[in-house]
Amino acid sequence: MTRADRPTIRDVARAAGVSKGTVSFALNGRPGVSEDTRERILAAARDLGWTPSTKARALSVSRSFAVGLVLAREPELLGADPFFPSFIAGVERTLSDRGQALVLQVVPASEEEAGYRRLAGAGRVDGVFLLDLRVDDPRMALLEELGMPAVSIARPDVPSGFPAVLVDDRPGIAAAVEHLAGLGHRHIAHVAGPAHFLHGSRRRRAFEDALAEAGLPAGPVVEADFSAAGGAAATRALLGADNRPTAIVYSNDLMAIAGLSVAVEHGVAVPADLSVTGFDNTALAAYVTPPLTSVRTDPYRWGRKAAEALLDLIDGGTVDDVPVPAAQLVIRASTAPPPPAVRTEKR
């Protein structure tokens, strides 16, 4: 297609039955356009095959029309953990609708600060997403210093001038413990995520609080790294203990599914001898043997909401924290009452 053949904003406006100004507002995600009109304009643009001239837009308003995501994780773990592809898919869906791009950097932890500084210094992005919040996360102050708009996934535990997508893992963990206690389990263990990650420490605290709320004794906690290998090692430690738990609450599905495999290695039947719960309700959870009881979250929705909030913030809007539905327990066949001998001992 030659430049002369490419559809223009005028063509989109004609197809949608609106003015060129309305098309510009809709395509740039600016307020003042009804949702029905915006959808009609986006549909017309897609049907015509219209694409923005990013270079022209950037030159005209001194913007990059891109947002950034810096992840200080091992690339292998990113590929194995279903959370990240789902979250990024949600982000990309919103960015695509609004003619924006995502700049992703996967860096060693030692280079994370430099990654943000490069993005800001080169003007490559207009704002960033903050995932994997840490305890006393220094990135809040860094981004304030850089003057970089940001949206965090979950509220940090340090002062922040940025809006957050209000992800709350605690109800899901509490529901898993309540479910196991209702089945009669009294010796419940937890395979936790890294304590320096807020979601790891908050899930662990939710586990401990839920045990206390149910009137149960404190259970063993083994810290792992959210990986399959880490979940397997933690499960071996728990199943090799003298006082083996009758149930294990895992901090993500990847570790829980690895735990199911380790149980088979040890001749421990799930759920007859050991009940297992995961977290994230990944697509695979329903298809392992036995199907995994897990906590349903929605990282795709979080990605969409985070992108919408960040683009509104970049456009100069006032953006409040973004509520999302609470995590919910999905009960499947990996949980059951504890073995009869254990129930008898506890009477």
Side-chain angles (χ1 to χ4, degrees), residues 226-267:
F226 287 129
S227 72
T235 306
R236 290 189 184 98
L238 289 169
L239 297 186
D242 291 337
N243 189 17
R244 192 174 75 195
T246 63
I248 304 176
V249 174
Y250 290 83
S251 198
N252 75 352
D253 280 1
L254 196 58
M255 296 194 295
I257 291 170
L260 293 177
S261 179
V262 171
V264 172
E265 290 176 10
H266 284 251

Side-chain angles (χ1 to χ4, degrees), residues 7-146:
T8 65
I9 282 183
R10 184 188 300 274
D11 297 324
V12 175
R14 187 181 300 114
V18 297
S19 69
K20 289 194 300 180
T22 303
V23 171
S24 178
F25 269 57
L27 295 176
N28 287 302
R30 296 185 181 278
V33 181
S34 73
E35 195 58 35
D36 286 347
T37 301
R38 190 187 308 276
E39 287 299 322
R40 189 167 77 252
I41 291 168
L42 292 174
R46 285 194 297 268
D47 291 344
L48 290 170
W50 178 88
T51 56
S53 170
T54 305
K55 182 177 180 181
R57 294 167 69 204
L59 288 172
S60 66
V61 296
S62 298
R63 278 177 52 178
S64 66
F65 292 94
V67 293
L69 175 58
V70 179
L71 294 174
R73 290 273 197 126
E74 293 295 327
E76 295 80 7
L77 182 57
L78 293 179
D81 190 336
F83 168 84
F84 294 101
S86 184
F87 176 82
I88 291 171
V91 167
E92 288 281 19
R93 176 69 274 173
T94 294
L95 296 185
S96 175
D97 287 345
R98 292 173 65 166
Q100 310 279 327
L102 176 66
V103 177
L104 174 64
Q105 289 193 0
V106 180
V107 299
S110 60
E111 296 180 19
E112 184 179 39
E113 179 179 335
Y116 285 107
R117 291 191 181 278
R118 282 194 300 271
L119 289 178
R124 294 180 61 194
V125 301
D126 301 315
V128 295
F129 302 105
L130 286 171
L131 267 70
D132 282 346
L133 293 187
R134 287 79 177 249
V135 176
D136 298 325
D137 202 314
R139 293 177 295 172
M140 304 301 160
L142 171 64
L143 293 173
E144 291 276 9
E145 174 198 331
L146 296 174

Side-chain angles (χ1 to χ4, degrees), residues 31 94 147 203 217 268 307:
T94 294
R203 291 175 195 180
V268 175

Side-chain angles (χ1 to χ4, degrees), residues 117-247:
R117 291 191 181 278
R118 282 194 300 271
L119 289 178
R124 294 180 61 194
V125 301
D126 301 315
V128 295
F129 302 105
L130 286 171
L131 267 70
D132 282 346
L133 293 187
R134 287 79 177 249
V135 176
D136 298 325
D137 202 314
R139 293 177 295 172
M140 304 301 160
L142 171 64
L143 293 173
E144 291 276 9
E145 174 198 331
L146 296 174
M148 178 69 72
V151 171
S152 64
I153 307 306
R155 182 178 283 134
D157 64 347
V158 294
S160 167
F162 304 121
V165 177
L166 297 178
V167 172
D168 187 359
D169 298 334
R170 292 171 296 182
I173 293 289
V177 173
E178 182 180 356
H179 168 62
L180 293 168
L183 291 172
H185 292 274
R186 293 188 54 81
H187 188 34
I188 305 172
H190 181 47
V191 174
H196 65 276
F197 284 143
L198 271 186
H199 56 299
S201 63
R202 284 173 173 169
R203 291 175 195 180
R204 174 174 181 163
R205 192 176 311 121
F207 169 77
E208 294 168 342
D209 290 347
L211 286 181
E213 181 70 23
L216 298 179
V221 176
V222 179
E223 183 177 324
D225 61 359
F226 287 129
S227 72
T235 306
R236 290 189 184 98
L238 289 169
L239 297 186
D242 291 337
N243 189 17
R244 192 174 75 195
T246 63

